[in-house]
């Protein structure tokens, strides 16, 4: 049965206020700011924005209030096609708020305020909502973790894609519950105790799942699948890089959409790497933050121009099918907490 959503996301949302200065000052200084911009952020939240920007049927669950930051991030998601109707009304809730000071050479200091953040509980994702998604995307940076949510999703038989960075016991427990584990090299080398990302991928793939992927920035990624356990390397696309912030999140959102629409893991890796490369290019610096998340057509054009035959024709044909999925056969539209105060029992 076709599901209502390709990807349902839950995890950390953030509003990032970036301030640009020439140099970091010593203490007790006054320095002029020569630019500022507000952006969406957070691993799962950016990933689901990427899925939405690519034209995926995406939905996001969080606990947001009526404050300015909650409204900003909900609207930023909605404008990228993400269904925000399952966001839970929580007057005390909201996204992380980060002030990020960037100097003239691109270095940054991040001052983050997690005060508003409320982790979603398992009951915030009713069974029917979970079942309406082909894939659930969860993240982990800090405690409390989404382990209870993951256990519920797992028990309902819906595959989980995990983006895990936090170095804790619960991060390892969460990783064990994922069907698609995509982690940055830093987490993989920490948890495996080996400095080599290929070895780290092999270690993580020891917990059998559909795919284990270790991303390594401009070096690309290493991956192992259930059907082909040997660790393989896929190099990153060589592009003119403007801003790599959010490349990993873009990779997750694109990979999630690709596997939700039945691409094989190897093909999903190519699609996700292309989406992440476009995010790094940021249209030559013309687009920042979430505005640099690529569209489906941009990824298609990039692959058309970059891939070689015979891989090109085969993948582009599949991507054509991916762009036009069959309509959902889910009966009726699920009404989330914003529509129904008794959301557990609608
Ligand atoms: N400089 C780059 N050029 C091309 N592609 C890149 C570059 N940096 C990252 N990528 C792509 O993005 C993928 C994920 O990058 P990375 O390993 O940096 O993720 P991450 O550490 O989770 O990043 P973040 O969470 O900050 O977005 C890489 O595997 C690669 O495909
Ligand atoms: Mg990341």
């Amino acid at each position: 049965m076709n599901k209502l959503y390709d990807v349902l996301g839950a995890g950390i949302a953030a509003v990032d206020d970036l301030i640009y200065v020439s140099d970091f000052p010593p203490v007790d200084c006054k320095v002029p700011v020569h630019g500022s911009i507000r952006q969406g952020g957070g691993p799962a939240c950016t990933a689901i924005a990427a899925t939405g920007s690519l034209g995926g049927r995406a939905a996001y669950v969080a606990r947001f209030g009526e404050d300015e930051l909650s409204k900003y991030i909900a609207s930023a998601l909605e404008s990228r096609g993400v269904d925000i109707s399952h966001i839970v009304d929580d007057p005390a809730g909201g996204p992380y708020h980060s002030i990020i000071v960037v100097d003239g050479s691109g270095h940054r200091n991040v001052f983050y305020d997690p005060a508003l953040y409320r982790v979603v509980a398992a009951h915030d994702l009713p069974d029917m909502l979970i079942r309406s998604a082909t894939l659930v995307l969860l993240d982990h940076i800090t405690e409390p973790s989404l382990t209870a949510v993951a256990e519920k999703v797992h028990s309902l038989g819906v595959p989980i894609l995990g983006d895990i960075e936090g170095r804790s016991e619960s991060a390892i427990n969460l990783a064990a519950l994922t069907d698609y584990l995509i982690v940055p090299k830093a987490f993989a080398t920490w948890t495996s105790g080996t400095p080599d990302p290929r070895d780290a991928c092999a270690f993580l793939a020891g917990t059998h799942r559909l795919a284990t992927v270790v991303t390594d920035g401009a070096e690309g990624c290493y991956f192992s699948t259930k059907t082909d356990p040997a660790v393989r390397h896929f190099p990153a696309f060589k592009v003119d890089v403007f801003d790599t912030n959010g490349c990993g999140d873009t990779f997750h959102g694109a990979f999630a959409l690709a596997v939700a629409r039945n691409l094989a893991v190897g093909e999903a890796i190519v699609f996700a790497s292309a989406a992440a490369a476009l995010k790094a290019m940021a249209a030559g610096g013309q687009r920042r933050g979430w505005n640099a998340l690529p569209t489906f057509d941009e990824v298609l054009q990039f692959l058309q121009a970059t891939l070689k035959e015979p891989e090109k024709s085969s993948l582009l044909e599949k991507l054509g099918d991916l762009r036009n999925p069959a309509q959902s056969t889910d009966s009726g539209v699920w009404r989330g907490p914003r529509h129904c105060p008794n959301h557990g029992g609608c």
Side-chain angles (χ1 to χ4, degrees):
M1 183 182 76
N2 292 312
K3 303 286 191 91
L4 191 57
Y5 302 115
D6 297 301
V7 188
L8 172 67
I12 294 172
V15 173
D16 297 341
D17 283 322
L18 287 105
I19 294 168
Y20 296 89
V21 297
S22 299
D23 298 290
F24 290 122
V27 294
D28 292 333
C29 267
K30 291 180 182 172
V31 294
V33 164
H34 56 76
S36 63
I37 186 174
R38 173 165 281 188
Q39 304 180 354
C45 195
T46 304
I48 208 75
T51 307
S53 297
L54 288 164
R57 296 170 302 192
Y60 192 66
V61 186
R63 300 187 74 90
F64 289 166
E66 289 300 318
D67 58 288
E68 182 205 343
L69 297 173
S70 294
K71 285 182 183 163
Y72 173 84
I73 199 75
S75 148
L77 285 167
E78 192 169 33
S79 68
R80 283 159 185 86
V82 178
D83 185 347
I84 57 166
S85 64
H86 309 293
I87 289 174
V88 179
D89 289 322
D90 180 344
Y96 272 54
H97 186 202
S98 302
I99 309 290
I100 303 176
V101 184
V102 186
D103 74 4
S105 54
H107 293 292
R108 59 184 185 171
N109 280 319
V110 180
F111 304 85
Y112 71 91
D113 180 358
L116 287 179
Y117 178 67
R118 301 280 180 278
V119 72
V120 291
H123 63 78
D124 291 330
L125 288 89
D127 291 7
M128 193 173 159
L129 173 60
I130 293 169
R131 286 202 180 99
S132 70
T134 305
L135 187 80
V136 172
L137 188 154
L138 304 174
D139 68 12
H140 180 277
I141 296 182
T142 56
E143 304 306 307
S145 77
L146 290 167
T147 307
V149 173
E151 281 166 348
K152 179 170 181 176
V153 175
H154 185 70
S155 73
L156 292 171
V158 177
I160 299 171
L161 186 153
D163 177 6
I164 297 175
E165 289 180 33
R167 300 181 184 189
S168 66
E169 179 120 10
S170 68
I172 293 167
N173 294 339
L174 190 57
L177 284 164
T178 61
D179 300 279
Y180 299 96
L181 179 66
I182 306 179
V183 294
K185 177 181 163 185
F187 175 82
T189 55
W190 168 76
T191 189
S192 63
T194 160
D196 183 75
R198 182 185 287 275
D199 294 342
C201 184
F203 172 88
L204 286 166
T207 303
H208 298 289
R209 56 175 73 81
L210 294 173
T212 302
V213 184
V214 175
T215 64
D216 189 9
E219 298 302 313
C221 66
Y222 297 84
F223 66 101
S224 161
T225 71
K226 187 177 179 186
T227 49
D228 182 9
V231 176
R232 303 193 183 276
H233 178 239
F234 187 79
F237 288 102
K238 299 271 175 273
V239 293
D240 289 334
V241 172
F242 183 80
D243 180 2
T244 61
N245 199 25
C247 277
D249 308 328
T250 307
F251 187 100
H252 284 84
F255 183 97
L257 175 61
V259 292
R261 298 237 181 131
N262 289 324
L263 254 67
V265 170
E267 296 161 344
I269 296 264
V270 181
F271 182 72
S273 300
L278 283 161
K279 176 75 172 74
M281 292 165 75
Q286 300 299 304
R287 286 155 55 179
R288 290 176 183 265
W290 284 14
N291 291 335
L293 293 171
T295 63
F296 188 84
D297 284 344
E298 286 168 343
V299 178
L300 212 56
Q301 282 162 20
F302 179 85
L303 289 171
Q304 179 96 45
T306 313
L307 289 184
K308 304 262 180 293
E309 294 295 359
E311 189 190 16
K312 177 154 90 177
S313 298
S314 139
L315 183 62
L316 291 183
E317 189 181 327
K318 286 183 184 156
L319 289 177
D321 298 341
L322 186 152
R323 187 220 294 261
N324 302 311
Q327 289 300 304
S328 163
T329 54
D330 265 8
S331 55
V333 176
W334 163 249
R335 294 293 174 196
R338 279 190 188 258
H339 301 288
C340 172
N342 308 311
H343 57 87
C346 295

